[in-house]
Each structure stands twice: as C-alpha cells, then as structure tokens.
Amino acid sequence: MTRLPLQAALFDMDGTLVDTERLWWEAVERVAGRPLTEADRPEVLGRPVEHTARWLAAGTGRPAAGLAGALHREFADRVRAGVVPRPGALALLDALARERVPTALVTASPRAVADLVLDALGASRFAVTVTADDTEHTKPAPDPYLAACAALGVDPAACVAVEDTETGVASAEAAGCAVLAVPSLAPIAPAPGRTVVAGLEGVTPDRLRSLLPRRLRVMTWNLWYGGTKVRDHRAKQLEVLTEADVDVVGLQETYGSAAEELAEALGWHHHRAGENLGIISRHPVTAGLGDPDVGFYGAAGARIRVRGGEVDADMEVDVWTVHLDCAPYGPYEAAFDGLAADALTAHEEGRLARLGDALRRIEEGPDLPVVLVGDFNCPSHLDRPDVGWPVTRAAEAAGFADSYREAHPDPVREPGHTWSPVHAEHEDGSGRPEPQDRIDFVLHRGLRVLDSRTLVTGGIRPWPDVEDNDWPSDHAAVITTFAVAPAAVCGKSVGDGA
C-alpha cells in the first residue's frame, strides 16, 4: 500500500507563517479596552474580524460595524510596523517551490490584511490566496480550504494544511485535508489525520508527504468458472491484477484453487473458503472469517494487517467477499416477465437471507474498518429507485456505504454496469437485449473513498465466441481506492531535538 502523492500544501497565515497572533490579540485588547483572558480565546484566535466584532458588541453594547472597523485599523497598523515570519516558514515555502509543490495561502483575515502580509512574505510564493472576503463562510467552515483546492485543481485528501488554531484545524479537516498543527498561543490536541509539532523549523516537503493518508485499493472480481471459459485464463488474470495495481481482491467463482494460484504467482497472501470464494492480498492475512466450508453461494472474510511502514503503525481491516444466488434474477423478471416492484422485492428473500447471515457474522467481529465486496446478483436501490431492492438496502441499514455511488452519485451519467461485458443479447438465442446492470459492489464501513471505477480491459468478443477474449470474465470488476488516515501524532518539530 502506498501513500497518496502530495498535490499541494495549504498554509494558514496569522500565527502559522507570520507571528501575527499576538498582534491580533493586542489589537482586540486595545479595542475591547481590557486585557483578554483564557476564556476569550475561542472568540478571538482564528476568527474573522466580523466574528470578534460581533462578540465584542454583545458584551459592550457598541455597534459591531464600528468595532470591526476599529479592529481592522488596529491590526493593520501593527502589521505595517513589522511582520516577522515564524521560524522555519520561509525555508519550508522555498523547499516546496524547489520541488514544484503548489502552495496556497488560506486565511480568515480580510484581503487588505492578507495583502500587507504577502508584501512581506512575497506574493509569488503562493499560487492561490483565499481570504475571508472570498468565500461565503470562513473558518471553521471548510469553504476556504475547498476553494483553495478547487482553484489549484487538487484533491483535498492529497493536501496538507498547516494551521495554528483549533478553528483553522477544524476548517481544514472538514475539507478533508491532512493537518500539520503548529500551535502558536493555544494548545491543539493530536487526532487521527492530524500531527502536532512545536514549530516549522526542520519541517520538509517529505515530512508533509508522510502525513498524507495511505492508499488501499480494493477490487471485487467474479472469475467466471475460475476463468476457464477463456484460453490462457490464469495468465490473463495475472496480467489484469498486475496492471490494476490493487492491494486486496475479493474473488467469486474461484472454482477451487484460483485464489491460491493467483496469490502464489503474485507473491501475495490468500484466504480460501469452500470451492467458490477467496481473498488475495499483498498485505498479510491474519485470520479467516466466516464458514471455511461455505457453499457455492455465501460469504467469507479475512482480516488483513495493513502495514504502516516507517512512519505509521500497522492497522487491521476486515474484508468480506460475497456471492449471492443468481436466480431468480430481478432484471430478467422486470424486463422479460414484466413483474411489478412488490413481486421483484419478494423474490429477493434468498439473497437477503444470505447477506443477513454475512452481516450478522460481521457484527460479531471487533470494531474495525470493514470492506464488503462481491457479486450480489441484484441491482442497487441507489440505481433503480422505482424498486426498493432489499439486499442493498439491508447493507445500507447495517452502516455500509456504496463506494462507487459515493464517487459517482448520478446513476444516469455514470451507470457503472458490471453485468455484462460479454452479453449484449440474452443467451437464449431470442435476440432480446441483455439487461445491463450494476450488480457487483465494493461497500465499506469506516473508510474514506478517494475513487471508484469499473474495470474491463483488452479485446472482447460477445458470447459465445469468448475463448480468445483478453478479459477472462463475464463481469466487470470494481476497484475502489480508500484513504487510510495515519494515527494521531504529537511531537516536537524536527529542529527541537529528541
């Protein structure tokens, strides 16, 4: 499993890059006419001028607009008197520029104040600047960081935000960024996806890269009679898996030894259940889950220990693969028999019972992230709202999200059909079009989706002339890329010593 590449570094301004938090604190004290205390911090640090002005107005009875103007003037005067970069800030910005990592300034200060600071720092250091004037909602809302990422054309999950207040941290995390917190006046607690250091001295682009989520790519694939309908099927399966660059694969229709053979050829780990189900993984399999002698239809799982590498601790993820009964098949009954919605849902009882058994077994396990993949042999209620397909509804009720629909919410624009790349016409010879549906799923609970897609590669001839197909299955595969956030880290800046 690899880490996401660093697409951009996003910097707060006040207290993070420049030592202005104390200037702001002094400005608020001057306008308030009294010393500030610890209890005042949540209304002052990391807050836009308008927020602090409204807070002062509530306590003094003075007009908020006049207070905001006074705060602007007091703070701007102090900034003009001299902005001092925080130790290590310019060195980090210069290092990012040398490595061509885009940077953005994301501040809750107004544009007029940000421009004063940019004059001191060098506006050319930043590709994008987002101020309190540029979004409807500022920190702690995610809007400023989302706006910066949109302007840069980057994924928030592949960005690190550098912040010095809880308000700014909340904004960056709500946008989906990893966070390096460098507290200036108030402490910040570590949390998953958040690293806390004393300062920026010694922080490098590589250190920022180490904070990004790790990538876990999970695939579901029905091998279609183990792949035996296609010539040289094992070599073609291995080619697909190698080029897909996946980490864990839930297999159906393994027909005996496919999981073992694929894992051995790849140098991976595996778990086999019965004659039909298997899980292969480049990470160690620490336990088999479910019935090891499951029949042709059913579910099986494996606990995967995802290696963290030099920076992060290992973590465990449970991966389950399911294969539900192929008959009666709802899309046929709807297209060919004209069954109404209530009849279609009534015929899902067998699949619903098998999935229910799998869900019960999952609930008996520990509180770990879970990925539930497989050939469900039924459509999703997210794709066909005219029928309340109960199987996918049951998974949703158990807390599982559909990763493909998270990545592609519009079923009209992105149908994501997995049945069937080789069946354009129904195989009974009638010439009727084969219903195309999404019946293979990568569901999850406790992970974050970065991307999801279907996969079919190479030349494909339709059934029955399939033996020379490059794609050795009658299903499309589904691959979802998850972000696995690092654990909470708290420590000194690199320059602070041991």
Side-chain angles (χ1 to χ4, degrees), residues 365-419:
D367 185 18
L368 295 174
V370 183
V371 185
L372 176 63
V373 311
D375 172 9
F376 283 52
N377 270 314
C378 65
S380 169
H381 67 287
L382 300 176
D383 300 345
R384 292 185 171 210
D386 55 321
V387 179
W389 300 99
V391 174
T392 54
R393 282 186 178 277
E396 184 178 76
F400 284 90
D402 185 325
S403 65
Y404 187 85
R405 277 290 160 252
E406 283 189 79
H408 309 284
D410 188 343
V412 176
R413 179 177 297 178
E414 299 282 354
H417 293 154
T418 60
W419 180 264

Side-chain angles (χ1 to χ4, degrees), residues 20-108:
T20 54
E21 288 290 3
R22 294 189 183 278
L23 301 181
W24 172 241
W25 189 265
E26 292 169 3
V28 177
E29 285 187 323
R30 178 65 178 267
V31 174
R34 65 171 178 84
L36 298 178
T37 69
E38 184 73 25
D40 299 320
R41 290 184 187 276
E43 309 301 335
V44 177
L45 295 184
R47 293 293 190 175
V49 171
E50 291 72 19
H51 176 95
T52 302
R54 289 192 297 270
W55 168 69
L56 288 175
T60 64
R62 297 158 60 187
L67 289 166
L71 289 168
H72 276 299
R73 289 190 298 273
E74 289 290 337
F75 184 57
D77 288 345
R78 285 166 171 77
V79 171
R80 290 189 190 96
V83 171
V84 178
R86 291 198 71 182
L90 297 185
L92 177 56
L93 288 170
D94 290 343
L96 290 164
R98 287 194 297 271
E99 298 190 19
R100 300 180 183 273
V101 178
T103 57
L105 188 71
V106 185
T107 176

Side-chain angles (χ1 to χ4, degrees), residues 30-264:
R30 178 65 178 267
V31 174
R34 65 171 178 84
L36 298 178
T37 69
E38 184 73 25
D40 299 320
R41 290 184 187 276
E43 309 301 335
V44 177
L45 295 184
R47 293 293 190 175
V49 171
E50 291 72 19
H51 176 95
T52 302
R54 289 192 297 270
W55 168 69
L56 288 175
T60 64
R62 297 158 60 187
L67 289 166
L71 289 168
H72 276 299
R73 289 190 298 273
E74 289 290 337
F75 184 57
D77 288 345
R78 285 166 171 77
V79 171
R80 290 189 190 96
V83 171
V84 178
R86 291 198 71 182
L90 297 185
L92 177 56
L93 288 170
D94 290 343
L96 290 164
R98 287 194 297 271
E99 298 190 19
R100 300 180 183 273
V101 178
T103 57
L105 188 71
V106 185
T107 176
S109 293
R111 173 65 61 178
V113 173
D115 286 344
L116 290 173
V117 175
L118 285 170
D119 287 341
L121 288 177
S124 61
R125 295 181 186 273
F126 302 95
V128 168
T129 303
V130 177
T131 74
D133 302 332
D134 300 322
T135 57
E136 181 179 357
H137 304 288
T138 189
K139 303 174 185 180
D143 304 39
Y145 280 102
L146 292 175
C149 291
L152 291 170
V154 296
D155 184 345
C159 298
V160 176
V162 186
E163 275 282 357
D164 75 309
T165 66
E166 289 186 346
T167 300
V169 167
S171 173
E173 291 180 343
C177 303
V179 171
L180 179 68
V182 285
S184 57
L185 293 179
I188 298 173
R194 180 195 310 166
T195 298
V196 182
V197 296
L200 292 177
E201 289 181 292
V203 175
T204 64
D206 280 345
R207 181 73 187 277
L208 297 185
R209 291 186 182 95
S210 75
L211 309 182
L212 290 172
R214 292 167 286 165
R215 184 207 75 172
L216 183 68
R217 286 167 62 85
V218 180
M219 176 177 177
T220 184
W221 199 13
N222 183 310
L223 296 182
W224 192 23
Y225 294 97
T228 56
K229 297 293 184 181
V230 175
R231 203 188 325 264
D232 298 325
H233 59 278
R234 193 69 79 232
K236 292 174 179 177
Q237 291 166 344
L238 288 168
E239 183 178 4
V240 168
L241 294 170
T242 300
E243 292 181 355
D245 188 26
V246 290
D247 299 302
V248 183
V249 187
L251 300 170
Q252 308 90 44
E253 291 196 31
T254 55
Y255 268 59
S257 60
E260 295 100 311
E261 292 178 17
L262 290 170
E264 182 178 356

Side-chain angles (χ1 to χ4, degrees), residues 447-467:
L447 294 169
R448 180 180 174 198
V449 174
L450 297 176
D451 178 61
S452 187
R453 61 188 176 93
T454 59
L455 178 68
V456 177
T457 60
I460 297 177
R461 292 178 59 86
W463 176 264
D465 301 318
V466 298
E467 64 178 8

